[in-house]
Amino acid sequence: MTTVIKNGTIVTADLTYKADVKIEAGRIIEIGPNLSGDETLDASGCYVMPGGIDPHVHLEMPFMGTYSSDDFESGTRAALAGGTTMVVDFCLPDPGQSLLDALKRWDNKSTRANCDYSFHMSVTWWGEQVFNDMKTIVQEKGINTFKHFMAYKGALMVNDDEMFASFSRCAELGALPLVHAENGDVVAAMQQKLMDEGNNGPEGHAYSRPASVEGEATNRAIIIADMARVPLYVVHTSCEQAHEAIRRARQNGMRVYGEPLIQHLTLDESEYFNKDWDHSARRVMSPPFRNKQHQDSLWAGLSSGSLQVVATDHCAFTTDQKRTGAGDFRKIPNGTGGLEDRMPMLWTYGVATGRITMNEFVAVTSTNIAKILNVYPRKGAILVGADADIVVWDPKRSKTITAKNQQSAIDYNVFEGKEVTGLPRYTLTRGVVAIEEGTVKTQEGHGKFVSREPFTAVNKALSTWKELTAPRKVERTGIPASGV
Ligand code: DUC
Ligand code: ZN
Ligand code: ZN
Ligand code: ZN
């Protein structure tokens, strides 16, 4: 059985041209004019683009005493409805738990996925077992990325010595370390101070995590990565201070990547000062939303290339779950949704406003991610041989975002009321139509795990500082007698 996407304009990270796309057995088999096949999908007036990849989601994640409410079924259904055809979730071992045991839990949960997925492994503690497990994870389990939390003190946070050890191990194995960069010690102290002074509302969350704690941690992680001689991927880059550290490192030759979220690009800190407690609590995530200057910095990073990726950190909690933090903002589960809205929001606020081009849109939602995570060109490409993960994007189709019509399992949407123009006409996951003109035809369990190889050719991130890096023996004479 062959399917042809006809009469569309192909938009990739570097080209825009008119051609049909022919698909067989889940892959693209031909690209060219006047193709025919057993089934035809009409793409006239549409852009035919690589399906989105969301490199940062938390589905059914055990966190802050509860589980995030979108699981691999509803989460990937939401993804497909918004044009995203692959997600990367974070496997999260409990402190003391082996990485391989944690992975078994994630393997079980993910069997319900509607689209393809991959995992990052989190390093939440350090010891010989983690050191050994990391090798198995990279060489046998198809995972080449390791996440480190510099915040969540007393829970997920790792210290600098543990981070340096893990980064060094990543360098040996050809893996890429990721960081959640916020200074967890300072955040904990600020939280306590705010609570002691009676500031227990959701705005306390934002006050306890200012941009400077993110900037400091981003810079520290970059220096540690340079010492460990490994590239670095900074998740949810939300502020100018963090972006500035990334820019500076890149200018000095380091492979450092930054990932703004669609929420930080389009929503600001005023959300935390809403009179309605629920409104503000629903928007509590880490890092918190920032002001317009920070947003401008993130947009500038996307257009100039100093930031490479747009993600969601989709980690959805219901209003009831958020209410466990009434009277103590530290207990509000951190996280917001966004999987269904990332692509339409970025198109509306980025492409339609002229901030980024269509080709840049494809790069930051798909192609750059596939390259950084080492799954290009199987994913992130419209090329013969690539998986037929494709979105047929209708730039005229519009809607008002509302929780009433969303796929996500939660009872609100942080983008409620936003008008978006630019939506999928069709979303295809490995050649199978999952979304057609707003109708959901997803198949639970269709999604497959995507194995990612270690980085072999180049896995260095040396800065050009030319400091001493390797020990050099010095032949010395005249060593003074000690202890006299
Ligand atoms: N931030 C969130 O807001 N949620 C999940 C984890 C994180 O780092
Ligand atoms: Zn995080
Ligand atoms: Zn997060
Ligand atoms: Zn996250």
Side-chain angles (χ1 to χ4, degrees), residues 66-86:
T66 183
Y67 284 84
S68 59
S69 282
D70 276 316
D71 59 16
F72 276 81
E73 196 288 310
S74 65
T76 54
R77 177 157 38 85
L80 288 163
T84 290
T85 53
M86 177 174 165

Side-chain angles (χ1 to χ4, degrees), residues 11 13 46 124 141 171 202 238 242 262 286 308 326 331 337 444 469:
V11 178
C46 288
T124 54
K141 301 295 178 187
S238 77
I262 190 62
S286 296
Q308 297 74 32
K331 301 203 172 104
E444 183 173 329
T469 46

Side-chain angles (χ1 to χ4, degrees), residues 227-248:
M227 295 295 289
R229 305 174 144 229
V230 74
L232 181 70
Y233 182 106
V234 183
V235 304
H236 49 48
T237 305
S238 77
C239 66
E240 162 56 17
Q241 285 90 326
H243 179 197
E244 195 264 337
I246 293 167
R247 281 198 308 270
R248 179 159 23 91

Side-chain angles (χ1 to χ4, degrees), residues 56 58 147 149 152 180 235-236 261 285-287 313 315 334-335:
H56 187 162
H58 303 279
K147 164 86 170 282
F149 290 89
Y152 301 114
H180 170 131
V235 304
H236 49 48
L261 306 182
M285 67 172 302
S286 296
D313 198 359
C315 187
N334 284 200

Side-chain angles (χ1 to χ4, degrees), residues 3-7 19-23 29-37 39-40:
T3 305
V4 172
I5 303 174
K6 275 198 89 66
N7 305 319
D20 301 340
V21 177
K22 188 167 180 172
I23 298 161
I29 57 163
E30 197 177 350
I31 300 169
N34 307 317
L35 302 182
S36 56
E39 179 195 28
T40 303

Side-chain angles (χ1 to χ4, degrees), residues 170-248:
C170 286
E172 274 166 20
L173 295 171
L176 172 68
L178 278 52
V179 282
H180 170 131
E182 287 182 301
N183 185 319
D185 288 314
V186 172
V187 169
M190 303 262 281
Q191 287 178 326
Q192 190 59 54
K193 183 163 183 289
L194 284 152
M195 285 297 295
D196 290 347
E197 291 166 356
N199 297 305
N200 64 19
E203 68 283 3
H205 175 78
Y207 282 123
S208 69
R209 314 180 94 99
S212 46
V213 304
E214 185 185 340
E216 185 280 325
T218 303
N219 197 58
R220 180 156 40 99
I222 288 170
I223 304 301
I224 292 172
D226 193 24
M227 295 295 289
R229 305 174 144 229
V230 74
L232 181 70
Y233 182 106
V234 183
V235 304
H236 49 48
T237 305
S238 77
C239 66
E240 162 56 17
Q241 285 90 326
H243 179 197
E244 195 264 337
I246 293 167
R247 281 198 308 270
R248 179 159 23 91

Side-chain angles (χ1 to χ4, degrees), residues 198-329:
N199 297 305
N200 64 19
E203 68 283 3
H205 175 78
Y207 282 123
S208 69
R209 314 180 94 99
S212 46
V213 304
E214 185 185 340
E216 185 280 325
T218 303
N219 197 58
R220 180 156 40 99
I222 288 170
I223 304 301
I224 292 172
D226 193 24
M227 295 295 289
R229 305 174 144 229
V230 74
L232 181 70
Y233 182 106
V234 183
V235 304
H236 49 48
T237 305
S238 77
C239 66
E240 162 56 17
Q241 285 90 326
H243 179 197
E244 195 264 337
I246 293 167
R247 281 198 308 270
R248 179 159 23 91
R250 290 174 67 82
Q251 201 173 359
N252 283 302
M254 290 184 68
R255 290 187 172 83
V256 177
Y257 308 106
E259 172 205 80
L261 306 182
I262 190 62
Q263 296 92 321
H264 289 117
L265 287 162
T266 58
L267 301 172
D268 69 49
E269 63 190 6
S270 64
E271 304 282 357
Y272 300 116
F273 298 89
N274 196 288
K275 284 213 172 82
D276 177 18
W277 188 95
D278 283 343
H279 179 103
S280 293
R282 287 162 171 168
R283 282 141 182 96
V284 163
M285 67 172 302
S286 296
F289 303 155
R290 309 293 191 192
N291 67 28
K292 300 267 186 247
Q293 283 74 34
H294 292 297
Q295 290 184 335
D296 285 345
S297 169
L298 301 181
W299 283 109
L302 291 179
S303 54
S304 68
S306 52
L307 300 173
Q308 297 74 32
V309 165
V310 176
T312 61
D313 198 359
H314 186 98
C315 187
F317 296 102
T318 64
T319 304
D320 277 350
Q321 288 177 302
K322 292 282 188 178
R323 284 181 182 165
T324 54
D328 185 346
F329 67 82

